[in-house]
Amino acid sequence: MSGFKPPEETSAAERWTIAITVMLGAFIAVMDTSVVNVSMSHMMGSFGASVSSITWVATSYSIAEIIMVTMAGWWSSLLGRKRFYLISLFLFTAGSILCGTATSFTQMTVYRVIQGIGGGALIPISQAILRETFPQEQQGMAMSIYGMGVVLAPAMGPILGGILTDQWGWPWIFYINIPVCILTIFMTAKFVHNPPYLRRGVQSIDWLGIGLLTVFLTGMQVVLERGQEEQWFESDFITMATIATVLAFLILIFWELRYKDPVVNLRILKDKNLTIGTLMGLIFGVSLFGTTFVLPQFTQQLLGYTAFDSGLALAPRALTLMLFMPIAGALYQKIGPRILVFTGIIIILISYYELMQLNTQAGMSDMVIPLLIMGIGMPFMFIPLSAVSLCTMEKSHITDASSIYTLGRRVGGNIGYALVAVLLDRKIQIHTSFLMENISDGRLATHDFVTETTRQLHQLGLNSIAASKYTLGLLNNIVTRQATMLAYNDISFIFGCLFLLLVPLILLMPTKSGILALNKKE
């Protein structure tokens, strides 16, 4: 298409202009998955919604987004990628405006779906455009820019959401998108162009594939996000949703591998690097989104932080993520993906070990070091995974491949969310039971605590019955807090162990010499 230049004919200024343009689009789309988390309680008051209902503000966006992430390649073929990207930006902008003006829970849910439909395609298309804009020898730096959008955004979401909600109210977490969207629309229209090799048009619309995909992704999202609240398979709703999800998934695979113009091009998973990158990206997503969810929960539940302070607690990770993205991008070409990913895993394991040492007396300063360390390790993983997943993909399938890679990371995030909810509930029960077994009047420590606390309450004027009840309640509260703290420590241990699963997969990634050979070939 007129206006497109191959990487070798593009100046550095043109590359960086395009990079900033698509990074902004990816950033706002990803950030809106987490920015609402710290504003839920405020929305509950505005809409008169229950705790159970208000979570649909996040769920509705996620469902719409993940469907559009998966269909980005198909829509790009149908409408043309640049046109589809601009339409997505317009929808996201309109959705943001509507969300800020919502006056009821129903309105907010519908408007979040519109926003999610617009935001979903921005993420994989941004990666595809960066892959085509930068030459092979600069792919590490290209993916560091992409990482600024999709890895930094979840870390920044709770921080920005806390500030805006506390200072101006929850509508501003949506209004803040508007100037960024307008700027991105203008820059996309002027600087982004379609390459001539992109697949254009579809001979027939895959209605069955679209239906199966919608059922599968919607069902998966609902099961993972609502399962814990509904007591999993004790609920008929969750059981039926799981059956529908599994059946839709199996039929979808069978159908899409045989349909000529599939809505999801699963055939490209024959590319080993895409498959390995997607699988490793899924586990990376479990950690990234899981910790983004669990750390604010920990700080608010046990440490008594406000929404703003709980968001601010994630700032050290966001800071080192931003600083080390370009460093990891430069190292990708020099030492290759294998060493870089292995280094990232070791660094992240150290951070989880440090998080395991936290206790109920922890302050903001105790969280700084492990989060700084985690922020260093994540770019060392994300950049090589993003670059490797597309490095041997045929150019005409880049957008399809980016959609599948992004889907893997988003599914990982959903699993991380569900895993945290399940582990926290089960581990609290286990640790509470264990601690209660070790508390009895026959134990000296328990006897001394009850005696001394009761005596002090007597001195404050409470009678014997009231003092006894208050003491037992205080003892129960201490046990619950300690059990919850131990549960959070266990979650850090389990997340760390997940990263060990990636070590064997590193051997399947391209070597440094393989990356250099690709540079010369391109």
Side-chain angles (χ1 to χ4, degrees):
M1 186 174 178
S2 176
F4 176 80
K5 295 180 182 179
E8 60 273 12
E9 298 177 14
T10 307
S11 67
E14 289 173 318
R15 287 187 205 128
W16 284 100
T17 301
I18 294 172
I20 292 171
T21 300
V22 298
M23 187 271 285
L24 288 174
F27 183 90
I28 56 175
V30 176
M31 187 178 70
D32 268 57
T33 61
S34 63
V35 74
V36 299
N37 290 346
V38 295
S39 305
M40 292 292 192
S41 58
H42 297 266
M43 292 184 191
M44 285 171 59
S46 298
F47 301 138
S50 65
V51 175
S52 174
S53 298
I54 202 66
T55 56
W56 280 101
V57 173
T59 304
S60 58
Y61 179 88
S62 297
I63 290 172
E65 183 201 45
I66 202 170
I67 291 172
M68 293 307 294
V69 160
T70 313
M71 294 178 65
W74 185 83
W75 278 108
S76 295
S77 298
L78 184 67
L79 301 175
R81 192 173 67 186
K82 179 178 177 178
R83 180 183 301 153
F84 176 51
Y85 193 76
L86 285 169
I87 291 172
S88 297
L89 283 168
F90 276 113
L91 280 173
F92 187 83
T93 307
S96 297
I97 295 171
L98 290 170
C99 285
T101 61
T103 57
S104 69
F105 171 70
T106 302
Q107 285 183 353
M108 175 60 80
T109 305
V110 172
Y111 297 158
R112 282 287 279 174
V113 170
I114 295 171
Q115 194 186 30
I117 290 172
L122 301 180
I123 306 165
I125 292 179
S126 295
Q127 183 184 16
I129 292 172
L130 283 170
R131 171 67 181 85
E132 295 161 351
T133 302
F134 286 78
Q136 185 68 40
E137 64 271 14
Q138 295 181 18
Q139 282 303 299
M141 193 56 66
M143 290 305 106
S144 72
I145 301 164
Y146 178 62
M148 292 284 190
V150 301
V151 179
L152 186 60
M156 288 295 294
I159 301 172
L160 187 60
I163 294 172
L164 293 172
T165 301
D166 286 347
Q167 297 298 320
W168 294 292
W170 64 259
W172 281 93
I173 67 176
F174 302 109
Y175 292 149
I176 196 69
N177 293 328
I178 298 170
V180 180
C181 288
I182 293 172
L183 176 63
T184 306
I185 289 170
F186 169 77
M187 294 179 71
T188 300
K190 186 171 179 61
F191 300 113
V192 176
H193 304 283
N194 287 333
Y197 47 76
L198 279 184
R199 185 166 58 96
R200 289 298 303 272
V202 293
Q203 294 182 0
S204 59
I205 296 179
D206 182 14
W207 291 112
L208 180 59
I210 293 172
L212 289 169
L213 179 70
T214 302
V215 172
F216 161 57
L217 292 177
T218 302
M220 179 191 68
Q221 193 82 15
V222 169
V223 168
L224 290 176
E225 290 200 13
R226 314 291 293 188
Q228 179 63 22
E229 182 183 331
E230 301 287 340
Q231 300 301 310
W232 293 102
F233 301 113
E234 293 179 16
S235 163
D236 292 339
F237 170 70
I238 293 298
T239 302
M240 295 303 297
T242 302
I243 293 171
T245 299
V246 173
L247 286 176
F249 176 65
L250 295 174
I251 298 171
L252 178 70
I253 293 174
F254 177 83
W255 176 257
E256 295 298 277
L257 290 174
R258 286 158 177 77
Y259 196 76
K260 187 174 182 180
D261 285 316
V263 70
V264 185
N265 189 2
L266 298 177
R267 299 181 186 96
I268 60 176
L269 285 170
K270 290 185 294 185
D271 186 295
K272 183 194 75 172
N273 290 321
L274 174 62
T275 302
I276 295 300
T278 301
L279 180 58
M280 297 179 76
L282 185 147
I283 297 177
F284 179 84
V286 171
S287 170
L288 175 64
F289 288 93
T291 52
T292 300
F293 170 70
V294 76
L295 288 174
Q297 291 281 102
F298 164 68
T299 54
Q300 291 183 48
Q301 186 177 2
L302 283 182
L303 305 185
Y305 285 15
T306 63
F308 171 72
D309 288 338
S310 65
L312 195 62
L314 296 175
R317 188 178 70 171
L319 176 65
T320 46
L321 269 169
M322 184 170 61
L323 292 175
F324 278 83
M325 277 291 178
I327 294 173
L331 289 174
Y332 173 75
Q333 298 298 145
K334 296 182 182 298
I335 65 177
R338 291 186 178 185
I339 296 176
L340 205 57
V341 171
F342 184 73
T343 303
I345 290 174
I346 296 300
I347 294 172
I348 290 172
L349 286 176
I350 293 171
S351 73
Y352 277 122
Y353 176 79
E354 292 295 327
L355 287 173
M356 284 171 57
Q357 313 308 310
L358 294 177
N359 55 53
T360 55
Q361 305 303 314
M364 186 80 77
S365 58
D366 297 298
M367 298 183 64
V368 169
I369 297 300
L371 290 177
L372 284 173
I373 295 171
M374 185 180 292
I376 295 172
M378 282 185 166
F380 286 4
M381 282 196 64
F382 178 81
I383 288 172
L385 292 181
S386 298
V388 163
S389 63
L390 304 184
C391 69
T392 52
M393 182 56 57
E394 185 181 333
K395 288 184 176 180
S396 61
H397 294 311
I398 287 290
T399 309
D400 291 317
S402 180
S403 294
I404 289 177
Y405 172 69
T406 304
L407 177 66
R409 192 175 62 253
R410 289 292 288 113
V411 169
N414 294 341
I415 293 172
Y417 178 92
L419 188 62
V420 165
V422 172
L423 289 174
L424 192 59
D425 183 64
R426 303 292 166 82
K427 291 293 184 179
I428 288 175
Q429 293 179 22
I430 292 171
H431 287 300
T432 299
S433 176
F434 175 78
L435 291 173
M436 292 302 292
E437 289 176 1
N438 289 275
I439 294 176
S440 66
D441 290 335
R443 289 184 176 270
L444 181 61
T446 305
H447 180 269
D448 290 345
F449 173 83
V450 171
T451 302
E452 179 61 22
T453 303
T454 303
R455 184 186 66 79
Q456 292 180 12
L457 291 173
H458 273 310
Q459 292 179 351
L460 293 174
L462 273 70
N463 60 42
S464 298
I465 296 175
S468 178
K469 287 183 177 179
Y470 192 91
T471 299
L472 292 176
L474 184 61
L475 185 61
N476 183 68
N477 182 57
I478 292 172
V479 169
T480 301
R481 281 177 58 81
Q482 292 298 329
T484 304
M485 185 69 250
L486 290 170
Y488 280 115
N489 290 342
D490 287 347
I491 290 171
S492 295
F493 173 76
I494 292 168
F495 274 10
C497 290
L498 282 176
F499 277 92
L500 292 177
L501 298 176
L502 296 177
V503 175
L505 296 177
I506 294 175
L507 299 176
L508 300 176
M509 299 179 75
T511 61
K512 178 185 175 182
S513 59
I515 295 297
L516 293 174
L518 285 172
N519 294 349
K520 293 177 181 178
K521 182 179 179 181
E522 189 163 303

